[in-house]
Amino acid sequence: MGTPRIETNLQFASMRQIHAAIEHLERGDFECAIALADEAEGTLAGADEVHFLQILKGISRFHEVGAAAERTDGLNDRMHWLKHARLILHGPRIEKAIITNVEVTATIRKAIARFRAVYAEVKTPQMLSFENGAGSGSATGNE
């Protein structure tokens, strides 16, 4: 039968990561959701940066994007902790952290904005639903 494999590209890979991040948020798997959304955004980083910044400004009206940006322990700290169990290179290992649905939602919104900047013609039902408020993370009850 052979080894299962797929042929993919950046568009499908980042799209699938965003879709999976949305599903993980809905289940309350915040660590998985934030990591997948960050990876999707990172895959697309640098592509059409000006357009991305315009889209990001447009979505910053959402409470969770502004709230996450104002936190002193910002999203980058959370991602660094998820990847390395530390906040700084060679810093102390940190065993516990708190991740809120606000941070996860903001990270997913940023990933969708980056995706839209690169693939403006692609609009998936999952991303549209999330952008229109279904992805507030309120189902988990965590703020």
Side-chain angles (χ1 to χ4, degrees):
M1 182 187 273
T3 304
R5 65 188 193 132
I6 63 166
E7 184 176 324
T8 191
N9 58 46
L10 291 178
Q11 178 182 335
F12 288 121
S14 59
M15 178 184 69
R16 289 177 181 139
Q17 286 173 317
I18 293 168
H19 290 173
I22 293 168
E23 291 171 11
H24 280 291
L25 172 61
E26 291 168 353
R27 286 196 306 257
D29 303 334
F30 288 5
E31 304 91 341
C32 298
I34 204 168
L36 284 164
D38 184 70
E39 291 300 321
E41 184 188 353
T43 299
L44 302 168
D48 205 353
E49 196 68 21
V50 173
H51 190 136
F52 165 68
L53 293 173
Q54 289 172 342
I55 293 171
L56 190 57
K57 284 180 187 176
I59 66 168
S60 66
R61 65 184 168 85
F62 290 104
H63 166 74
E64 66 273 3
V65 176
E70 292 173 10
R71 298 177 72 92
T72 56
D73 61 342
L75 298 177
N76 289 338
D77 288 348
R78 194 72 63 238
M79 283 311 308
H80 198 79
W81 178 78
L82 281 169
K83 290 179 182 177
H84 308 289
R86 293 167 170 72
L87 293 181
I88 60 172
L89 185 64
H90 305 299
R93 182 177 173 82
I94 300 171
E95 290 295 326
K96 295 181 180 181
I98 295 173
I99 302 172
T100 67
N101 66 333
V102 169
E103 293 168 308
V104 180
T105 301
T107 305
I108 294 171
R109 286 196 190 279
K110 282 178 55 187
I112 291 171
R114 176 86 62 190
F115 185 88
R116 285 179 46 207
V118 177
Y119 304 109
E121 73 285 353
V122 179
K123 298 187 182 335
T124 70
Q126 296 92 325
M127 290 183 207
L128 289 171
S129 176
F130 192 86
E131 289 178 306
N132 290 327
S136 66
S138 59
T140 62
N142 296 324
E143 291 289 333

